[in-house]
């Protein structure tokens, strides 16, 4: 099945196709690698970015502006300002609980 689209014409500033997101590097706000986008799961409240962490763990990140702060297709990355504990190697500070 092939659907012809003109992605440039109806494109919104904050809208991306799933195939555009796959393969993008996931970085934290300081530029450290958190993983790679391997998919997008549509959900009732918001979509989830499916991220493969460097250790192979799969993490689902709510695709909301407060967490996914930047999508840069030109630099092939997304910036994720994740809450503590979302990614496997993040340590939670006892004061945050």
């Amino acid at each position: 099945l092939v659907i012809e689209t003109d992605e440039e014409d109806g494109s919104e500033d904050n809208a991306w196709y799933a195939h555009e997101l796959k393969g993008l590097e996931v970085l934290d706000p300081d530029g450290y690698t958190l993983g790679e986008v391997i998919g997008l799961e549509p959900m009732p409240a918001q979509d989830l970015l499916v991220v493969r962490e460097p250790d192979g763990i799969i993490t689902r990140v709510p695709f909301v502006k407060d967490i996914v702060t930047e999508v840069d297709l030109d630099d092939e990355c997304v910036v994720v300002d994740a809450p503590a504990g979302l990614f496997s190697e993040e340590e939670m500070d006892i004061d945050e609980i």
Side-chain angles (χ1 to χ4, degrees):
L1 177 63
V2 177
I3 299 173
E4 291 185 31
T5 65
D6 188 356
E7 292 179 15
E8 297 300 316
D9 285 350
S11 65
E12 299 175 30
D13 288 339
N14 294 320
W16 300 272
Y17 290 97
H19 73 270
E20 293 176 304
L21 299 169
K22 285 183 184 178
L24 296 183
E25 183 177 20
V26 180
L27 304 172
D28 72 4
D30 295 325
Y32 293 103
T33 300
L34 298 172
E36 176 185 345
V37 177
I38 60 170
L40 182 69
E41 291 182 2
M43 300 298 283
Q46 75 269 330
D47 294 341
L48 300 173
L49 279 181
V50 183
V51 177
R52 180 184 298 121
E53 296 185 44
D55 59 5
I57 292 176
I58 304 299
T59 301
R60 285 164 177 78
V61 177
F63 201 171
V64 294
K65 191 169 185 102
D66 288 342
I67 297 174
V68 181
T69 59
E70 182 179 350
V71 175
D72 190 335
L73 297 180
D74 293 331
D75 284 341
E76 300 180 350
C77 67
V78 296
V79 177
V80 173
D81 189 6
L86 182 61
F87 285 90
S88 64
E89 291 189 15
E90 293 180 340
E91 295 181 19
M92 290 186 70
D93 188 9
I94 195 70
D95 294 334
E96 294 178 22
I97 298 177

